[in-house]
Amino acid sequence: MEKRKNKFYPNYFTFPAIIIFSIFFALPIIAGFVLSFTDWNMKRLYEPHFNGLKNFIYLFQDEYFLLALKNTFIFAIITTVLIVVLGLLLALVLNNAVKGKSFFRTLFYLPAVLSFIVIGIMFTSVFKMNNGVFNQFLTMLGLEGLVTDWLGNKTTAMGCIIFVQVWKWSGFAMAIFLAGLQGISKDYYEAALIDGANKWQQFKSITFPLLAPAFTVVVTMNTIGGFKVFEQVYVMTGGGPGNATQVLSTYIYKAFSKGTLGRSTAMGLVLFLMIAVISEVINRMLRKREVDL
């Protein structure tokens, strides 16, 4: 009996974590799942009625929800590709004996630790029409014809937000790729040199395959981050102009603000399931490429 108590004694220390996890994560998910099938709103705040799949049917007939869904996919795909490519290029350059590489590593990583709100406000002042830093720079170069309201133009607004996302997270991707590069033994490259392999052949046959675990982490994390994007969109454009930058998170927020709580919860469930399925598929596909060092 005493041995059994001693065996389970360490498990008692997990109870506080389990309780906190249940209260702040598991229970809200369960409650959200249940409420997404009700007509919960400000008039029925304490008496939501079950309405089956009506919320979900309404969502996929709502042109603005479908537009937000489309914008979210575009944002997530483009930012993930650009962050992976730019992060890998930075890592390859700064993994070599570059003068001041420690400084540049810190410089490129720094945006990842800044608040989204701070970054959003900063780039709003950069891209705004009147006295915006970017427009002043174009004017100084004699390119007045390119001056525009970057965040107020439907054509350029999403591109500006994509730029901010890539600027913030490329350094983080660089750090993960650097860790992967430094874990690759130099013996592989020495053997390749003896066989007469050039730099591209070394990258294709050694670096790229052995970086597969880093690719899995970077692609998965940035895909999830892309689908969850909220702060910079809300701060910089609020989903405008004309819903051109409306994404699922901002649309959910606006629906909650209007008091359509059950419908908003259904949107949140759609976003949650979408992220879970897509991230799992990406994770499984990329893990098949991983090579043991």
Side-chain angles (χ1 to χ4, degrees):
M1 191 68 178
E2 189 66 29
K3 286 184 178 180
R4 182 174 296 179
K5 284 185 178 180
N6 291 335
K7 181 180 178 181
F8 287 101
Y9 180 74
N11 296 329
Y12 299 152
F13 293 100
T14 65
F15 290 158
I18 292 172
I19 292 170
I20 293 172
F21 176 83
S22 299
I23 293 173
F24 294 104
F25 188 78
L27 290 179
I29 288 178
I30 296 170
F33 179 81
V34 173
L35 290 170
S36 65
F37 295 95
T38 68
D39 62 352
W40 188 37
N41 55 53
M42 294 305 295
K43 294 180 181 179
R44 295 182 180 276
L45 193 59
Y46 302 106
E47 296 179 350
H49 293 165
F50 179 77
N51 65 358
L53 296 173
K54 283 186 179 180
N55 289 333
F56 298 95
I57 294 171
Y58 175 87
L59 290 183
F60 288 98
Q61 293 176 344
D62 180 5
E63 60 177 315
Y64 296 113
F65 175 79
L66 295 176
L67 177 60
L69 185 64
K70 175 186 171 184
N71 288 341
T72 304
F73 267 95
I74 291 171
F75 181 89
I77 292 169
I78 294 176
T79 54
T80 300
V81 171
L82 292 177
I83 288 169
V84 170
V85 172
L86 187 56
L88 179 59
L89 290 174
L90 289 172
L92 290 171
V93 172
L94 296 178
N95 191 49
N96 297 318
V98 178
K99 187 176 181 180
K101 66 180 181 180
S102 297
F103 168 77
F104 287 110
R105 287 177 182 178
T106 304
L107 182 67
F108 289 125
Y109 184 79
L110 186 61
V113 302
L114 297 178
S115 164
F116 272 121
I117 305 299
V118 172
I119 290 173
I121 294 171
M122 180 176 71
F123 277 98
T124 299
S125 66
V126 169
F127 290 121
K128 68 181 180 180
M129 180 64 181
N130 298 320
N131 301 320
V133 175
F134 189 51
N135 281 338
Q136 289 185 7
F137 177 71
L138 291 174
T139 303
M140 185 178 67
L141 294 177
L143 300 173
E144 292 89 349
L146 297 178
V147 171
T148 186
D149 184 2
W150 298 94
L151 296 177
N153 188 324
K154 290 184 179 181
T155 307
T156 58
M158 181 60 82
C160 292
I161 296 173
I162 288 172
F163 171 82
V164 172
Q165 181 83 350
V166 173
W167 177 83
K168 178 173 174 61
W169 291 115
S170 293
F172 185 78
M174 173 203 70
I176 295 175
F177 283 129
L178 273 172
L181 288 170
Q182 291 172 5
I184 300 175
S185 174
K186 293 181 180 179
D187 294 342
Y188 295 114
Y189 296 102
E190 291 173 0
L193 282 173
I194 293 171
D195 291 338
N198 57 35
K199 291 291 184 181
W200 168 247
Q201 290 170 330
Q202 290 177 36
F203 174 80
K204 185 176 68 171
S205 302
I206 300 173
T207 307
F208 189 72
L210 296 181
L211 272 183
F215 271 100
T216 302
V217 173
V218 173
V219 172
T220 304
M221 289 183 65
N222 283 286
T223 301
I224 293 171
F227 279 107
K228 288 171 57 182
V229 62
F230 173 76
E231 293 96 332
Q232 60 266 47
V233 176
Y234 182 74
V235 173
M236 293 176 70
T237 64
N243 292 305
T245 60
Q246 194 79 265
V247 291
L248 285 178
S249 294
T250 55
Y251 195 62
I252 292 168
Y253 174 80
K254 289 181 178 180
F256 265 110
S257 301
K258 293 177 181 177
T260 54
L261 307 180
R263 197 174 296 162
S264 307
T265 309
M267 293 184 206
L269 180 61
V270 170
L271 179 59
F272 171 79
L273 293 175
M274 190 170 67
I275 291 173
V277 171
I278 292 173
S279 60
E280 179 63 20
V281 170
I282 290 173
N283 216 8
R284 286 180 179 273
M285 289 173 59
L286 293 179
R287 285 195 178 279
K288 292 178 180 179
R289 292 185 54 255
E290 294 185 8
V291 179
D292 292 329
L293 294 176

